[in-house]
Structure formats: structure tokens, C-alpha cells
Amino acid sequence: MWGKKDVFFGFFTNTFNICSSQSYIKMSLLVVGSVAFDAIETPFGKTDKIVGGAATYISLSASYFNPKINLVAVVGGDFPSSAITTMKEHGIDTTGLQIKQDEKTFFWSGKYHNDMNTRDTLVTELNVLGTFDPIIPEEYQSCDYLMLGNLAPSVQSTVIQRLKHRPKLIVMDTMNFWMEIAMDDLRKTLSMVDVLSINDEEARQLSGEYALIKAARKIMEMGPKVIIIKKGEHGALLFNKDQVFFAPALPLEEVFDPTGAGDTFAGGFIGYLASTNDITFANMKRAIIYGSAMASFCVEKFGTERLEKLTDHEVELRLKEFVDLVQFEMTLPK
Ligand code: AMP
């Protein structure tokens, strides 16, 4: 992992050149979200219940940038201890993972359409998530960075209220499910965060605007100063009040399973920001590239499989592929 070397391999300038390495800083990152069982069907195959969940993908992805990751989530007695061991092996502190022995883990099932960019949710069984009370261990309460993965918005706002200090940056994710059943709570939570990361369909639903620029502007009025709109294989857009940045997704030969790509993207984004401890818009542009690189791994295998065993070298090569993909020289006419 990056932290073992105590320096980053390479940073991008705004024009995607690799420039000098930067000292590594260990900031704390609190990740809250679902830890789940998923059953996934894509045109390439089908899985039985496998380990998934927003917080699982976020934490694994962020772990490659090695901030101090603390996890707050809940599972049932049916959740495999081997999956918790995998998280620990990635340096993720699981003290805040509640295990409700007599209950069942959250279960989600989805089926992808042939284009792999759209999916239908077949089943959402909240189980332990239905009564989730996010208890934040004392040692997590002064976190520097907070990533609120997809969860009931009332739980997300409770987490913010239970912290000792406001973190330097709060990023949240959400989905249409919560817009349909908990819009008032969602509005409240949105008013408390800095960055919202959602996909294009969700941005349209939340704002009532089709054009994404207008959608981003409307969502900013709800609270977040920065909006990330993910467009699946068509990349991601980053907006603040005055600027827009676009990052492509890496064209891949095979996309096996997009589940968790959005969370993996968010994990790479905040993991990189936390590791550099720089929340300027210029650094967020780089973070978008890191998030996109991590998401490109996620889709190559079912579930978390690919994310569990990456090497630093693979991550470095993938980042370089991004540089090569978008770098060009051009002289503008006078
Ligand atoms: P993504 O593909 O990035 O949108 O995230 C997929 C993950 O989100 C899956 O692993 C699911 O377990 C999780 N998920 C799906 N629906 C919900 C929900 N309503 N609340 C929390 N997590 C969810």
C-alpha cells in the first residue's frame, strides 16, 4: 500500500503530467455505510450471496491510499468472519462494526441490463440496517475526513451529530431508494455535507433537471459546495460554483460486474484526499482520477474480488494509463 513507502509514486498536475512526489500524511477517515450480502446478475453470469455493501467497497478502495480507516457499520450473525479478517488485513479498523448475532445482514440484489450501465434492483432487505443505530467509538469521534456511504439519510445525519468536531471534509453518497422514501431526511443531511457523489439518473431525480449542469447547480443550493456526477462508463463530472471538470472512465475490454463501482470511486476519491490532506478543487480533480482508476479495477471481477488483492504496482500502472488516455498537446490559434 502507498503508506508503506511513505511517499506517493506520482502526482498529476492539472494537465495530467506526473510531477514530483509528496510527503505522505496519515489522516483519519471515518467510513459509515452498508456492509452487505449482494446477489448480482449480469449478462456474463450470476452470483449467489456474496459480500458487498457501500462501506465495504469504500473502505477497501481507500485502503490503497492508507489513511487511518475506521469503519462504522452493522451486520448480522450470518456475516462471515473471513470478510472481517480481509478488512483488517487492509488496515481497516473494525471496532465500530456492530455484529447483531440473532439478526440477518442487509441483502441487496440487482440485475444489469445488456449495456451494463443500467440495472434494476430486484430485492432490498434492510434486516439489521432497518434499526441501525450508528454508535461511533470514542476514538473515531475526532475524525479528519468523513465518508457517508449509501445509508438512510437520518442515520447519515446522526453520524455527523455524534462527532466531537466537524471533520475537515464530509462526502456523502445516496441513491434513488432514499429519494423515494425519505426525501425530507435527505434534504436535512444534504444541508450538512461538503460533497455529494451520485450518478446522473439520481442527480436528475433529485434536482428535477435533465441538464447535468443545471442539476448540479440546483443540488448545490441544497447544501453541498461540490457535486460529483458519475456517468458509469462515460466518466464523471466534478462541479463547484464556478468550475467543471470531466474525467473519462478507462475504456476496458471486459466489464464483468459494475456493482460497487460508485462506492469504489468514492473510496479512491476520499482516500486520496485524506492521504494528501488537501481539499482544494485542484486536488479534487486528481482525486477524481484516483477514484476512476480504482473503479476501473472493481468492475473487472464480481464483487470485491479484484479490490481485495491489488498491488501498488497495478494501481500505479492504471493511473499511468489514465495519463496516457487524456494527455495531448495542442497549440491554440491566436
Ligand atoms: P453501487 O454499485 O456503487 O451503487 O453500490 C452497490 C452497493 O450498494 C451494493 O454492494 C449494495 O449492497 C449497496 N446498496 C444497495 N442498496 C442499498 C441501500 N438501500 N442502502 C445501503 N446500501 C445499499
Side-chain angles (χ1 to χ4, degrees):
M1 281 174 229
W2 301 96
K4 286 186 192 146
K5 289 190 268 181
D6 278 1
V7 290
F8 279 130
F9 159 74
F11 272 44
F12 298 111
T13 65
N14 289 349
T15 50
F16 294 98
N17 294 314
I18 291 176
C19 65
S20 61
S21 57
Q22 184 171 324
S23 300
Y24 153 79
I25 310 152
K26 195 146 184 131
M27 304 306 280
S28 62
L29 167 62
L30 174 58
V31 177
V32 189
S34 54
V35 172
F37 283 129
D38 292 343
I40 303 155
E41 198 175 328
T42 79
F44 302 107
K46 214 174 157 172
T47 66
D48 283 332
K49 284 188 174 182
I50 56 171
V51 169
T56 312
Y57 285 102
I58 293 166
S59 310
L60 286 174
S61 176
S63 74
Y64 288 91
F65 305 97
N66 212 23
K68 167 93 193 71
I69 301 175
N70 296 323
L71 175 68
V72 166
V74 63
V75 292
D78 53 353
F79 195 73
S81 57
S82 58
I84 301 174
T85 306
T86 302
M87 289 183 192
K88 287 183 182 158
E89 284 166 0
H90 278 77
I92 300 161
D93 187 312
T94 58
T95 312
L97 177 66
Q98 301 171 35
I99 304 175
K100 298 259 164 90
Q101 282 306 342
D102 302 328
E103 294 179 46
K104 281 167 73 180
T105 299
F106 170 75
F107 173 63
W108 175 83
S109 165
K111 182 175 175 177
Y112 287 85
H113 300 165
N114 280 343
D115 68 0
M116 296 289 260
N117 254 343
T118 48
R119 71 182 178 207
D120 294 325
T121 289
L122 304 178
V123 182
T124 300
E125 285 173 13
L126 289 178
N127 298 329
V128 282
L129 266 195
T131 53
F132 179 37
D133 179 23
I135 298 161
I136 321 283
E138 168 89 31
E139 63 275 22
Y140 292 7
Q141 286 174 18
S142 304
C143 64
D144 303 300
Y145 288 77
L146 171 62
M147 178 70 225
L148 295 168
N150 188 10
L151 266 186
S154 57
V155 176
Q156 292 176 317
S157 59
T158 301
V159 170
I160 300 173
Q161 282 155 355
R162 287 183 178 174
L163 297 177
K164 277 202 193 116
H165 315 280
R166 193 187 191 282
K168 186 167 176 178
L169 190 79
I170 305 177
V171 180
M172 81 174 265
D173 190 1
T174 190
M175 72 185 297
N176 45 7
F177 182 78
W178 304 114
M179 293 171 205
E180 279 145 30
I181 67 164
M183 194 57 201
D184 288 346
D185 289 340
L186 181 56
R187 277 189 178 275
K188 180 180 161 202
T189 310
L190 280 169
S191 72
M192 300 164 86
V193 307
D194 301 303
V195 182
L196 173 69
S197 168
I198 47 172
N199 71 33
D200 44 1
E201 262 181 60
E202 292 159 351
R204 290 184 173 119
Q205 183 169 343
L206 182 59
S207 64
E209 294 285 351
Y210 186 81
L212 294 177
I213 293 206
K214 280 191 183 165
R217 220 176 278 141
K218 261 210 170 157
I219 299 169
M220 272 180 224
E221 284 167 15
M222 301 177 194
K225 292 175 283 299
V226 175
I227 314 288
I228 299 168
I229 300 184
K230 298 164 286 180
K231 290 156 57 69
E233 65 169 330
H234 304 298
L237 289 157
L238 172 73
F239 297 89
N240 73 3
K241 198 161 101 357
D242 312 305
Q243 299 160 85
V244 188
F245 174 70
F246 170 71
L250 201 67
L252 295 168
E253 287 194 25
E254 272 180 87
V255 174
F256 226 73
D257 169 22
T259 308
D263 305 311
T264 304
F265 171 93
F269 176 80
I270 199 158
Y272 175 77
L273 290 179
S275 296
T276 50
N277 197 22
D278 174 354
I279 57 169
T280 58
F281 195 73
N283 204 43
M284 284 191 188
K285 290 184 188 177
R286 291 178 205 112
I288 291 278
I289 301 293
Y290 279 82
S292 304
M294 297 310 290
S296 74
F297 287 118
C298 172
V299 303
E300 288 179 342
K301 294 249 164 91
F302 271 113
T304 56
E305 195 183 336
R306 189 78 172 98
L307 281 186
E308 285 175 22
K309 298 186 192 88
L310 286 171
T311 63
D312 282 358
H313 188 58
E314 283 176 301
V315 177
E316 287 165 8
L317 286 179
R318 192 57 61 97
L319 288 163
K320 199 173 168 309
E321 279 184 61
F322 263 95
V323 177
D324 294 341
L325 179 70
V326 296
Q327 195 174 38
F328 59 91
E329 283 179 23
M330 191 165 81
T331 314
L332 291 172
K334 291 204 176 123

